Amino acid sequence: MGNHPFLKYCTAYLNDVYGHYSPATYKNLDRRFRRMDRDVEKLVSDGVLTTASPAKWVVQDVVSYINYRYSLNRAQSEMCHEVGALKKVMIQADNLKTFDVAFRRFPNMRPRKRDEALPSIEQREYKLFMDGMSVVDEKDYYELRRYAVMGLSIFCGLRAKEIRLSSVKDIIRNEDHWYFDIVHVKGEKTYGKRRVVPIPKEFHDHLTKYLRAREEYIRVRCPDSKLLFPSPTSDNGELASNTLRADVKRINEQLGTSFNLRDGRRTFGQKYLDGDVSIEDVSVLMGHNSTETTEGFYCRRRNVKSVNAVKDLKGIWDPDKKMEFRI
């Protein structure tokens, strides 16, 4: 392999997955691989590792490398990333068996992965939101907008950017079945994939009210705007991220709640998981590239029941349906 054989496997892996990670994640992984290569070269020079080529590593090489990283007093979260990155390299080097044997033989070497998934919105707060949304004045455009913004997070799982850049035409209404065509997804020009999500009936009434108020609003303020949430004061006609946060903050002040848009996305995913939708389908609905992201940071199955298909999703979003939200 010549000089830096470890880094060559790292580079090969990065070339294979190019476009599958966000630019920031790709850059961070590249930085980690380069630092790992420097560590490996040092350990080979010190006689700790038998070779710099991960394809030729034996179990003791894996153990020695991991123990070296622990000797630097790295946090458990950092070691989780380190072990994950090393596994990628070992797979690329077609030497995963050695990696697996090392961790089976020395299970305590595996870092303790903390529970990353934050809780979704509590049942009490969800009920307050639904009650508050039901009594909004139909002539109060800004109040209607606030609940529509938060509703798109809770009921459709939209990210802040996806909300800001959405258009009226993205709402597809077909009798009782409504859908949201999410065009401007995260990473839309690289790894992101356009997706379509259902709009639950529980959100239809408020969305209809908002759309009516929006028509009157744009007629006076910004008649040429096609955006779902137009801004007549910004240069690009889009609401600022701070405006979305201010809208949600205002709802919290009124209701005595404490949720945000990401809490809404977690609730979106958890609701469908609790409705026996598969984690694979929920991951697609949330716009994730893997179920690991969905389960690790957003929502996860709370029971071990195996479900093959979703036969009836009616009532999932009923605010009176008793459900424990906290993970």
Side-chain angles (χ1 to χ4, degrees), residues 195-234:
R195 68 188 191 278
V196 176
V197 298
I199 304 175
K201 286 186 177 181
E202 289 77 3
F203 191 41
H204 290 187
D205 183 58
H206 182 81
L207 200 52
T208 300
K209 292 176 182 178
Y210 170 73
L211 290 172
R212 284 201 297 261
R214 175 194 171 280
E215 286 301 311
E216 180 61 24
Y217 178 81
I218 65 169
R219 184 182 66 80
V220 177
R221 303 294 300 276
C222 42
D224 295 328
S225 179
K226 305 299 182 184
L227 292 172
L228 182 58
F229 300 105
S231 171
T233 58
S234 66

Side-chain angles (χ1 to χ4, degrees), residues 88-105:
K88 292 177 174 64
V89 177
M90 297 295 282
I91 291 174
Q92 189 70 34
D94 197 23
N95 197 12
L96 179 60
K97 182 178 180 180
T98 297
F99 177 92
D100 289 340
V101 170
F103 280 94
R104 282 201 303 271
R105 189 175 297 175

Side-chain angles (χ1 to χ4, degrees), residues 83-237:
V83 170
L86 180 60
K87 183 175 182 179
K88 292 177 174 64
V89 177
M90 297 295 282
I91 291 174
Q92 189 70 34
D94 197 23
N95 197 12
L96 179 60
K97 182 178 180 180
T98 297
F99 177 92
D100 289 340
V101 170
F103 280 94
R104 282 201 303 271
R105 189 175 297 175
F106 303 99
N108 291 335
M109 188 171 62
R110 190 175 297 279
R112 297 184 302 277
K113 187 174 183 180
R114 69 182 180 90
D115 188 358
E116 297 280 5
L118 295 173
S120 53
I121 297 173
E122 290 182 342
Q123 177 73 25
R124 178 189 67 85
E125 292 190 323
Y126 174 65
K127 184 66 164 59
L128 287 171
F129 175 81
M130 293 295 289
D131 291 343
M133 186 173 66
S134 68
V135 298
V136 174
D137 185 348
E138 295 186 27
K139 295 183 180 180
D140 189 338
Y141 168 78
Y142 292 102
E143 192 73 354
L144 288 166
R145 186 187 74 188
R146 293 179 189 119
Y147 278 90
V149 165
M150 191 65 208
L152 285 177
S153 174
I154 294 174
F155 295 112
C156 301
L158 269 69
R159 301 177 175 93
K161 171 194 172 182
E162 295 167 344
I163 293 172
R164 290 175 47 247
L165 301 185
S166 59
S167 301
V168 174
K169 65 180 178 61
D170 297 337
I171 300 174
I172 305 168
R173 289 183 280 186
N174 181 16
E175 297 180 352
D176 291 338
H177 302 288
W178 292 18
Y179 303 92
F180 204 102
D181 185 6
I182 307 174
V183 179
H184 299 288
V185 299
K186 180 180 179 180
E188 62 180 300
K189 295 182 180 179
T190 52
Y191 63 93
K193 295 180 181 179
R194 181 173 177 171
R195 68 188 191 278
V196 176
V197 298
I199 304 175
K201 286 186 177 181
E202 289 77 3
F203 191 41
H204 290 187
D205 183 58
H206 182 81
L207 200 52
T208 300
K209 292 176 182 178
Y210 170 73
L211 290 172
R212 284 201 297 261
R214 175 194 171 280
E215 286 301 311
E216 180 61 24
Y217 178 81
I218 65 169
R219 184 182 66 80
V220 177
R221 303 294 300 276
C222 42
D224 295 328
S225 179
K226 305 299 182 184
L227 292 172
L228 182 58
F229 300 105
S231 171
T233 58
S234 66
D235 294 337
N236 55 14

Side-chain angles (χ1 to χ4, degrees), residues 43-86:
L43 294 174
V44 171
S45 178
D46 293 345
V48 177
L49 299 179
T50 60
T51 174
S53 174
K56 299 179 181 179
W57 273 15
V58 295
V59 168
Q60 188 55 49
D61 290 318
V62 174
V63 174
S64 296
Y65 177 81
I66 295 299
N67 284 341
Y68 167 73
R69 294 299 298 168
Y70 272 119
S71 73
L72 301 178
N73 295 319
R74 300 306 179 198
Q76 291 290 310
S77 58
E78 164 63 17
M79 288 304 299
C80 284
H81 291 298
E82 190 77 5
V83 170
L86 180 60

Side-chain angles (χ1 to χ4, degrees), residues 1-15:
M1 292 288 293
N3 294 331
H4 300 284
F6 188 89
L7 186 59
K8 288 185 178 180
Y9 282 108
C10 297
T11 302
Y13 174 81
L14 289 173
N15 289 338

